[in-house]
């Protein structure tokens, strides 16, 4: 089973899709390899968080996703 | 104690939630309710709220639990829209029932600050030239800092 | 700007006031509403609010004007009961409509503090042994001092 | 026309009536003469205010009511 990468908010615009599938396993370097140009920059931005199966990673560079996992890229939420 | 947390994809009438919520808490001292609507801002035709199914609702439930524990509440109701909304449509409803008014009012204030800037929602506005993402605001951080 | 201030001698349904009030302010950002009810306190059978016709309503109107001037409101609704009330009956309703949520919430907080301890109402509770006047509370003074 | 003296809150209990009529004119000493025992004490208490025709007096001892006036004795309002 592949890994699903989910793009939230404006990252979906940058990715041109709300989600894509990638081969398992996936670490932080592997994820950045999948993300081109501004999307990669946005992923690296301090305020962009990463969650695996709905659980936030304290340190996104420690990403270690396996078969069937869902990896979400979460940009800063919008203001009120 | 009753905790109601809902994410809705269709328009809702706040009164349909607040009436039953209030009636579910006989003996309360007060109920404070906030309803946020899509504001009429020049040039804005519609607002879209994007959420992340598996994190957004869980985050709202955790926020509700935090508010209930922090303020001495009898009940808390949190309803939030997602999807595309027009001017005047309700986006969010928070209602807190408590023995004393200050707890009810402060719980609503607390919940709104956190829903607005510490929940997994992303917003964009439709203007004549298309959709525009709404960025975080400095005011939101100072609002949140009040509760630290 | 709309200011609605009413003193009622009969039971009322808050929804009948809040619905039309909200609808009267298209384009608002948010509405905050507080409803205070006769609390279920051990041994209390009824509550009576006494007012002084020629000063109580005028004082509420002046309070509403002050809140409107202090917070950036689109509208303010203040409804207060007088007379004898049973547990669960609404005593007071304050609803503030504003462009932004913090102004609406703070205006309600402000108006409630002043209605509770700086308006011409005298209360007494009926217990098994008869009626007892309710004295001012220290907490009310500290609540009011927040706005000085 | 006489002056109407209105007793609010627990002062009505102490007076045994919500209001009474007294002869005009009426000053502070004259009002105290009309109020017996605990009612007079309550009227003199710092936190008891006096209004004439709905207008609070800044200094109740400056009371000077005329024919047809309504004088109200207002004890502290109840708490929330």
């Amino acid at each position: 089973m592949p890994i699903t990468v989910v793009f939230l908010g404006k990252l979906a615009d940058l990715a041109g899709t709300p989600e894509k599938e990638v081969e398992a396993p996936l670490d932080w370097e592997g994820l950045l390899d999948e993300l081109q140009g501004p999307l990669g920059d946005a992923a690296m931005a301090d305020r962009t968080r990463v969650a695996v199966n709905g659980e936030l990673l304290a340190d996104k560079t420690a990403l270690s996703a396996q078969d069937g996992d869902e990896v979400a890229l979460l940009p800063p939420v919008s203001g009120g | 104690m009753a905790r109601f947390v809902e994410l809705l994809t269709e328009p809702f009438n706040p009164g349909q939630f607040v009436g039953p919520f209030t009636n579910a808490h006989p003996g309360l001292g007060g109920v404070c309710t906030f309803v946020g609507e899509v504001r009429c801002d020049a040039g804005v035709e519609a607002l879209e709220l994007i959420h992340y199914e598996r994190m957004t609702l869980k985050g709202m439930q955790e926020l509700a639990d935090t508010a209930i524990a922090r303020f001495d509440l009898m009940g808390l109701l949190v309803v939030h829209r997602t999807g595309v909304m027009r001017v005047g449509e309700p986006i969010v409803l928070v209602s807190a029932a408590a023995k004393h008014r200050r707890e009810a009012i402060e719980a609503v204030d607390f919940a709104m600050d956190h829903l607005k800037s510490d929940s997994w929602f992303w917003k964009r506005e439709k203007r004549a030239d298309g959709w525009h993402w709404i960025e975080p605001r400095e005011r939101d951080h100072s609002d949140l800092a009040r509760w630290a």
Side-chain angles (χ1 to χ4, degrees), chain A residues 1-5 20-27 30-31 34 63-71:
Chain A
M1 267 199 312
I3 288 165
T4 304
V5 179
K20 67 181 284 192
E21 300 201 334
V22 302
E23 288 301 307
L26 186 71
D27 65 6
L31 177 60
E34 299 282 342
L63 174 67
S64 171
Q66 310 301 324
D67 272 1
D69 281 350
E70 182 170 287
V71 174

Side-chain angles (χ1 to χ4, degrees), chain B residues 17-137:
Chain B
F17 287 88
V18 175
F21 174 75
T22 301
N23 292 337
H25 297 93
L28 57 79
V31 179
C32 186
T33 300
F34 179 83
V35 177
E37 299 185 355
V38 180
R39 195 164 45 227
C40 180
D41 283 338
V44 177
E45 298 166 8
L47 181 73
E48 182 174 14
L49 254 82
I50 287 91
H51 71 296
Y52 179 37
E53 187 74 36
R54 66 196 300 169
M55 288 179 70
T56 308
L57 186 61
K58 188 178 67 171
M60 288 166 62
Q61 289 165 341
E62 289 169 356
L63 167 59
D65 288 338
T66 303
I68 286 164
R70 178 166 180 152
F71 303 95
D72 191 17
L73 303 185
M74 297 174 72
L76 185 66
L77 167 69
V78 180
V79 179
H80 213 295
R81 266 297 302 280
T82 64
V84 176
M85 289 161 279
R86 304 267 156 199
V87 168
E89 281 185 39
I91 304 172
V92 58
L93 161 64
V94 173
S95 204
K99 287 271 180 196
H100 300 282
R101 75 178 183 280
R102 291 292 307 285
E103 283 75 9
I105 294 171
E106 289 188 1
V108 167
D109 199 15
F110 175 90
M112 282 305 307
D113 277 355
H114 286 77
L115 280 170
K116 284 284 187 172
S117 53
D118 194 27
S119 294
W120 297 110
F121 291 106
W122 296 270
K123 291 180 208 168
R124 52 180 195 165
E125 288 175 348
K126 189 178 186 186
R127 297 174 176 276
D129 62 346
W131 288 97
H132 298 267
W133 290 101
I134 301 176
E135 300 293 329
R137 301 180 313 161

Side-chain angles (χ1 to χ4, degrees), chain A residues 43-65:
Chain A
M44 282 187 286
D46 276 351
R47 298 190 58 199
T48 298
R49 309 290 301 272
V50 173
V52 177
N53 299 329
E55 297 292 334
L56 273 186
L57 298 182
D59 173 9
K60 64 189 173 191
T61 67
L63 174 67
S64 171

